[in-house]
Amino acid sequence: RYGRLNESVTVLGSGKSEIAVIDFCQYVRIPNFIGIITRRTTTLLKGAGGILTKCKRTFAKEFRDDPDYTFNWKEKDNKFVFYKKGRNKEGKEILTPISEVYLKHSEHENDIESYWQGIEANLCCIDESTQYTWPMVNYIMSRMRNPSCPEVRPRLKMTCNPMKTHFLRKWVDPYLKEDGTPDRSKDGLIRYFQMVDGEIYFAETKEQVAEYAQCSLADVLSFTYISATVADNRILQEVDPRYVSWLKG
């Protein structure tokens, strides 16, 4: 369900790194697609069990039996390159690069512009987004464009574990019960927003946002939230029934 959502911004409750990686598989065969997965530090990206490991495992499974496409990890450039297979006149296999998925860290808030300036992307995933401040997320949102791949409308997806003090709490409040727990009946509910004087303004309809922000309906962005708890990770609990106990540890 997470991967099929087409809203401008999607927040997924609880850190679902594996789902975030799988989400990219539906786009990497599209020419000129550019994706980015970011964590706050390089260690979180490349450490044991981190995003790099998950990407290699997921993409290897995705392309294992694909006769037409393959991929390769470029360590120097911190990116995965995806190729379309072909043959030249001599019958030798040739690989034509068609898309890329970058892994980026964003460790220091004051350096966010230097980390991201000039970048364009169709899809960006901020994994564990509560480790990011609003100025960091705001700047990353400004990078969501890629005119070379009009087939994939720019989207930002964020995974997070709940934090009362984080700015995302205000974004997801309409999806919560009075006691702060998720209201599962509101999962996937679409709301709308636009930036107004450096802040996000939300409303129930595009028309309300356009009137308040004094913008066109075409400029209004969409948002949704899908809650998740450890109970939703059935596969992991089957593999390790003591997983919850380790979390409590």
Side-chain angles (χ1 to χ4, degrees):
R1 185 181 181 187
Y2 175 58
R4 294 195 300 271
L5 289 170
N6 294 318
E7 310 320 319
S8 306
V9 177
T10 298
V11 173
L12 182 69
S14 186
K16 298 293 184 183
S17 305
E18 208 85 44
I19 296 176
V21 174
I22 293 172
D23 191 30
F24 286 83
C25 292
Q26 62 185 312
Y27 303 114
V28 292
R29 295 175 178 85
I30 300 175
N32 301 315
F33 170 81
I34 297 176
I36 300 173
I37 305 176
T38 181
R39 286 295 304 260
R40 191 68 187 257
T41 68
T42 301
T43 300
L44 292 171
L45 279 173
K46 295 185 175 182
I51 288 293
L52 177 58
T53 300
K54 291 180 172 65
C55 283
K56 287 181 175 179
R57 180 171 61 239
T58 299
F59 295 149
K61 185 176 181 180
E62 172 72 15
F63 291 95
R64 182 173 52 205
D65 300 318
D66 193 319
D68 301 315
Y69 295 89
T70 188
F71 77 99
N72 189 29
W73 166 247
K74 301 285 188 180
E75 178 69 30
K76 182 179 178 182
D77 300 317
N78 286 322
K79 69 179 180 179
F80 288 91
V81 180
F82 300 85
Y83 304 89
K84 184 173 178 58
K85 299 177 184 177
R87 295 192 180 276
N88 59 19
K89 294 180 179 180
E90 290 74 34
K92 183 179 179 180
E93 184 178 72
I94 57 173
L95 300 177
T96 303
I98 59 168
S99 65
E100 301 170 326
V101 172
Y102 288 80
L103 302 188
K104 289 186 64 65
H105 74 86
S106 308
E107 187 166 358
H108 302 293
E109 179 179 319
N110 292 337
D111 296 329
I112 188 69
E113 186 170 339
S114 63
Y115 290 148
W116 289 80
Q117 190 173 28
I119 287 176
E120 296 181 343
N122 297 93
L123 174 62
C124 178
C125 175
I126 303 177
D127 193 32
E128 296 293 355
S129 54
T130 48
Q131 295 177 356
Y132 288 70
T133 64
W134 165 238
M136 299 173 82
V137 172
N138 187 29
Y139 193 82
I140 291 173
M141 290 174 67
S142 74
R143 306 296 90 197
M144 303 309 303
R145 58 181 184 267
N146 182 13
S148 298
C149 183
E151 296 89 344
V152 182
R153 183 166 53 87
R155 301 181 186 95
L156 175 66
K157 297 190 177 182
M158 296 185 279
T159 70
C160 70
N161 284 301
M163 285 180 61
K164 280 188 176 182
T165 57
H166 196 264
F167 74 87
L168 279 179
R169 175 59 185 264
K170 292 182 179 179
W171 293 22
V172 304
D173 260 346
Y175 300 83
L176 305 179
K177 299 177 183 178
E178 290 186 5
D179 62 1
T181 59
D183 183 347
R184 304 305 290 264
S185 69
K186 295 181 179 178
D187 280 1
L189 175 70
I190 300 173
R191 304 182 72 226
Y192 299 93
F193 73 95
Q194 186 50 268
M195 291 287 296
V196 180
D197 297 328
E199 299 291 335
I200 294 283
Y201 172 77
F202 282 99
E204 303 303 317
T205 68
K206 288 184 178 181
E207 290 75 14
Q208 288 173 312
V209 174
E211 181 179 359
Y212 186 88
Q214 294 296 293
C215 68
S216 69
L217 289 175
D219 290 330
V220 176
L221 301 174
S222 57
F223 173 86
T224 195
Y225 171 73
I226 297 178
S227 60
T229 68
V230 66
D232 294 310
N233 200 334
R234 297 177 183 176
I235 295 176
L236 182 55
Q237 291 193 74
E238 289 174 4
V239 173
D240 184 3
R242 296 177 297 176
Y243 176 62
V244 176
S245 297
W246 283 113
L247 289 178
K248 293 178 179 179

